[in-house]
Amino acid sequence: MCIKSALCFDPVLAKDDIYLFPLLKPEVSIQKLYQQIVVCFAGNNYSLLKSSPAMENNSDEKIYYPSQAVIEQANVQEYEKLYNWSVENPEQFWAEQADSLKWYKKWDQVLDRSNPPFFSWFVGGKTNIILNAIDRHLENANRNKLALIWEGEPGDVRTFSYHALNREVCQFANILKSMGAKKGEVITIYMPQIPEQIIAMLACAKIGAVHSVVYGGFSHEALADRINDANSRIVITADGGYRRGKVVEMKSVVNKAMELSPTMEICITVKRTGVDVYMESGRDYWLHELKALPIAANKCETEQMDSADMLFLLYTSGSTGKPKALVHTHGGFSVYTSTTHRMVFDIKPEDRYWCAADPGWITGHSYIVYGPLMNGATIMLYEGAPTYPYPDRWWKMVEKYGINILYTSPTAIRSLMRFGDSWPNRNDISSLRLLGSVGEPISPEAWRWFYKAVGREKCPIIDTWWQTETGGFMIAPLPITPLKPGSATKPFFGNVIDVVDEKGNEVKNGEEGTLVIKTPWPGMTAGIFRDPQRFIDTYWKKYDKQGWYLTGDSAKKDKDGYFRIIGRTDDVIKVSGYRLGTAEIESVMANHPAIAEAAAIALPHDLKGNCIHIVAVLRIGYTASKELEHEMIMHMVEHLGPIARPEEITFADQLPKTRSGKIMRRVLKARALGLPEGDLSTLEE
Ligand code: PRX
C-alpha cells in the first residue's frame, strides 16, 4: 500500500492506495480540485470501499427483510398465492390488469396463441399508449400534477404538469404531421437527455408514428445504419447536450449520418447549447422556429391504434454484426409496463420517481417514460453526469426534489460507491423509500453499499432482471419480498421462468444453467423489424420443441426459488450495462487498414462490470506499437461510438479457431485472465 497525494494526479492508482487531500493553495478553487479528483479516480479501478472491514463480514446468504413501514403501504400485499394463481390463469390475470387502463375499444381475445412465437395480446382492442400516459390524466386531478421535473447539468430546471406535457406533445405532434409524418412511419430520435427527447417520443406515439430512439453514445455510422435499416425519413435531434461540464455535439453527428442515409429528408433540431451547427435549407428546421408557426397548435387528436400496432423500434446488439430492431406494440406494452411499474415500484400518487437511465435504452422507454406516465407519476430526468461537478450531484437532487424512488444501474452505483459514504451523508436523502437496480448483475458488495449508504437500511433494493426483448420486468422483487443481495429474487406474476440444461431439463438448485421463459407475457417483443426468421432463430429455435424463449443469459436458482443471474452466454458484451455485440465491434475493427482479423472479448472491470478487450492480428507490413493501439481505439470510438471504446488491444500472430473457422473467444478470455484454457479438442491445429 502506498500513500499518495490527490494533487499529484498520479495516473497509476493502485487499489489499496490511501489518498491525502492537502490544504488548498488559494489559486486552486475547491470545485476544480474536486473535479480533478473525480477525473483522477474515474479513470481507475479504484474502490474506496473495497477495504472496508464492515462490508467484508457480511455473508451473501443473509436475508434482508423489508421494514414494517414498507410492507404496510405496499400496493401488493402477498406474492406466493397471487403468483400461483396468475400462472394458472395468466389470461385472467392480464385481463384484470388491462381493465385498469382506458381503451377506445376493449379486446375480443386476451391472447392469440395460434401462431407461436408470434403471440398477439389484446386482439381486437383499440388504444394508444398516449390515451393512458397523457389523455386520461387531463380529465382528473393529475391535470395539474407535475408529470416531469427536469434538471440540466448546468443547473437549469424545467417542470411540466400533465396539462403542459400534453400541450408540448400536441404541438410537436402537429409539427410532425405538417412534415407529412404518417401512421406506421419510423421516426428516428437522437438526442441528449432533455425534455424534448421525451416529448418527441410521445408525439410520435400520439400520431401513430413509430419512434426509433438511437442512444447518443453511438457514432454517425452506427446512427446511419439504424436510420437506413428503418428507412427513416425524419430525424429529431438537438445541437448538443451537456456532459461533465462540456458540450457533446449531436447535430453535427446527425449531419454526417444524413450523408450516409439516402432516405433522410427532414431534420428537426432543438437548440440546447447554442453551439454552431450547419443547417441546410429545406432539410433542417429549428424546433423553436417551428413552434412559433400556426401549425404548432395546442390540440391534436390521439390516433386510435390496434393493440398490435407498432409503438417503437429499439435497436439492440445481437450475435451478428447487423443490429436488430425489436418491435414493441401499443396494447401489450401498455399493460405490461404500467402493471409492473405499479406493483414493483409501488408507485403512490404523491411519489416523485427517478429512473436515472437514458431514455435512449429500453429502461428509459419502459420505466422513465411510458410505465410511470401511465401510472400518473411525477418523473425526474437529469441531463448529465452523476459526479458533476461533485460526486453528490445525485444526492443533492434527491434532497432538492424529495425523490422517493431511485432506479439506477450497478455501474452507476459502483461509480458513486468509490467516493464513499460522506457524499450521500452530506445531504438529506431520507425521502427515499425504494431503490432499484438494472442492466447487469449487482455484486453483493455494491448491493450492500447502496442499501446502507443510500437506503439507510430502510429501502428495499429492487433488483430487476429483464431485457429489451421482454419490454418490462421479468424477475423482480416486490417491496414486501425478503431480499438476498445479488439476486433479482422471483418471477413477476404470470411468468414461468426456469434454469435448464442443453436438453431443457431443469438443473439442480445451485447449479448454473440457461435461463428460459416458458410462457408468453404481454410485454414481449412482437419480433425483429422485417426479419421474422432472425427472431425465430435467435430466441425460439434452441427450445423449439418446448416453445420456450431463450434469454441468452445463464443463471442459478436456489432452494427458495431465488434467481441469480450470472451473465450472457452469447456474443453480447455488457459494458457499464450497455449492450454491444462482439460481431459489431469486430466488423468495425476489421475496417481498419492495419487489421487482418480481430476478436472482441469481455474482461471483468471493477467499475464497468465488463470492458472490451480486443485481440488483433495485423496485416503484413504493420508492426504492433502503443501508437497503433491508440489509433485503433480511436477508430472504434469514431466508427461505432464512445460507448464501444476498447480498454485494451493486444496483438497476436493468429486467433484460436475451431476447425469450422469460428473464433474461440473462450480461449482468448482464459489466456487474458491467466486461467486454464479448458477443452481444446475442437481447436484447429
Ligand atoms: O444479461 C442481462 C442483463 O442485461 C441483459 C439485457 O440487456 P438490455 O436488453 O440492454 O436491457 C437492459 C435493461 C433491461 C440481460 O440479458 N441484465 C439486465 N438486468 C439485469 C441483468 N443482469 C443481472 N441482473 C439484472 N437485474
Side-chain angles (χ1 to χ4, degrees), residues 385-441:
T387 48
Y388 186 84
Y390 308 125
D392 67 345
R393 179 65 186 266
W394 274 19
W395 317 131
K396 271 200 160 22
M397 287 190 287
V398 168
E399 176 173 345
K400 180 173 174 189
Y401 300 109
I403 302 295
N404 307 105
I405 302 163
L406 174 66
Y407 183 32
T408 182
S409 66
T411 291
I413 297 166
R414 285 191 298 266
S415 79
L416 293 164
M417 181 170 98
R418 289 178 308 157
F419 299 104
D421 299 7
S422 64
W423 293 97
N425 284 349
R426 72 186 68 211
N427 299 279
D428 178 3
I429 54 173
S430 58
S431 58
L432 289 171
R433 185 176 87 247
L434 294 173
L435 298 172
S437 171
V438 63
E440 46 177 321

Side-chain angles (χ1 to χ4, degrees), residues 334-347:
S334 293
V335 175
Y336 200 72
T337 54
S338 59
T339 306
T340 47
H341 182 254
R342 186 177 70 249
M343 293 187 171
V344 172
F345 277 124
D346 212 30
I347 202 79

Side-chain angles (χ1 to χ4, degrees), residues 256-268:
K256 284 206 253 169
M258 282 195 289
E259 281 167 26
L260 305 175
S261 306
T263 54
M264 216 7 95
E265 289 173 14
I266 290 164
C267 175
I268 300 173

Side-chain angles (χ1 to χ4, degrees), residues 2-55:
C2 144
I3 296 181
K4 290 177 183 168
S5 150
L7 282 187
C8 74
F9 302 130
D10 185 341
V12 204
L13 302 180
K15 239 184 225 159
D16 297 327
D17 287 349
I18 288 178
Y19 272 76
L20 291 182
F21 296 88
L23 287 174
L24 294 178
K25 291 191 194 142
E27 66 272 19
V28 180
S29 76
I30 297 236
Q31 180 165 335
K32 192 126 203 105
L33 174 71
Y34 279 132
Q35 277 169 12
Q36 283 173 326
I37 292 168
V38 170
V39 171
C40 190
F41 281 4
N44 292 277
N45 305 339
Y46 180 79
S47 163
L48 270 176
L49 289 171
K50 268 236 153 89
S51 48
S52 158
M55 296 274 163

Side-chain angles (χ1 to χ4, degrees), residues 222-482:
L223 173 62
D225 282 349
R226 286 153 178 78
I227 289 174
N228 294 337
D229 185 74
N231 275 335
S232 196
R233 193 174 63 85
I234 301 176
V235 60
I236 304 166
T237 189
D239 54 358
Y242 291 99
R243 187 94 192 164
R244 294 198 182 87
K246 295 202 180 87
V247 170
V248 179
E249 288 189 25
M250 298 196 95
K251 170 64 174 149
S252 57
V253 178
V254 171
N255 281 349
K256 284 206 253 169
M258 282 195 289
E259 281 167 26
L260 305 175
S261 306
T263 54
M264 216 7 95
E265 289 173 14
I266 290 164
C267 175
I268 300 173
T269 305
V270 177
K271 192 171 230 150
R272 162 71 186 133
T273 62
V275 287
D276 262 354
V277 292
Y278 170 71
M279 300 286 278
E280 193 174 291
S281 165
R283 182 193 74 177
D284 290 326
Y285 302 88
W286 287 109
L287 180 68
H288 61 272
E289 290 179 359
L290 294 171
K291 278 179 76 172
L293 300 174
I295 49 163
N298 291 332
K299 294 221 159 44
C300 175
E301 276 295 305
T302 303
E303 189 75 29
Q304 295 198 14
M305 308 295 284
D306 288 335
S307 292
D309 278 338
M310 290 195 290
L311 167 62
F312 64 83
L313 301 182
L314 195 51
Y315 282 87
T316 189
S317 301
S319 48
T320 72
K322 193 173 169 293
K324 56 191 171 198
L326 293 162
V327 176
H328 284 285
T329 59
H330 278 267
F333 184 81
S334 293
V335 175
Y336 200 72
T337 54
S338 59
T339 306
T340 47
H341 182 254
R342 186 177 70 249
M343 293 187 171
V344 172
F345 277 124
D346 212 30
I347 202 79
K348 301 282 186 287
E350 62 277 18
D351 277 340
R352 290 185 159 193
Y353 163 87
W354 184 9
C355 168
D358 188 301
W361 296 93
I362 190 68
T363 312
H365 283 57
S366 303
Y367 297 113
I368 295 179
V369 183
Y370 290 115
L373 291 180
M374 279 187 284
N375 288 327
T378 296
I379 60 178
M380 166 83 205
L381 185 71
Y382 166 58
E383 178 184 34
T387 48
Y388 186 84
Y390 308 125
D392 67 345
R393 179 65 186 266
W394 274 19
W395 317 131
K396 271 200 160 22
M397 287 190 287
V398 168
E399 176 173 345
K400 180 173 174 189
Y401 300 109
I403 302 295
N404 307 105
I405 302 163
L406 174 66
Y407 183 32
T408 182
S409 66
T411 291
I413 297 166
R414 285 191 298 266
S415 79
L416 293 164
M417 181 170 98
R418 289 178 308 157
F419 299 104
D421 299 7
S422 64
W423 293 97
N425 284 349
R426 72 186 68 211
N427 299 279
D428 178 3
I429 54 173
S430 58
S431 58
L432 289 171
R433 185 176 87 247
L434 294 173
L435 298 172
S437 171
V438 63
E440 46 177 321
I442 179 166
S443 67
E445 181 199 27
W447 193 102
R448 283 192 292 264
W449 182 77
F450 202 30
Y451 184 75
K452 288 187 178 167
V454 181
R456 310 276 151 88
E457 304 194 30
K458 69 175 175 66
C459 306
I461 307 288
I462 308 292
D463 179 1
T464 59
W465 176 86
W466 59 294
Q467 307 178 303
T468 307
E469 292 85 345
T470 71
F473 308 145
M474 298 306 290
I475 304 177
L478 301 172
I480 56 165
T481 309

Side-chain angles (χ1 to χ4, degrees), residues 142 180 182 389 517 627 645:
N142 282 344
K182 299 259 165 1
I517 305 171
E627 290 72 39
R645 173 189 283 270

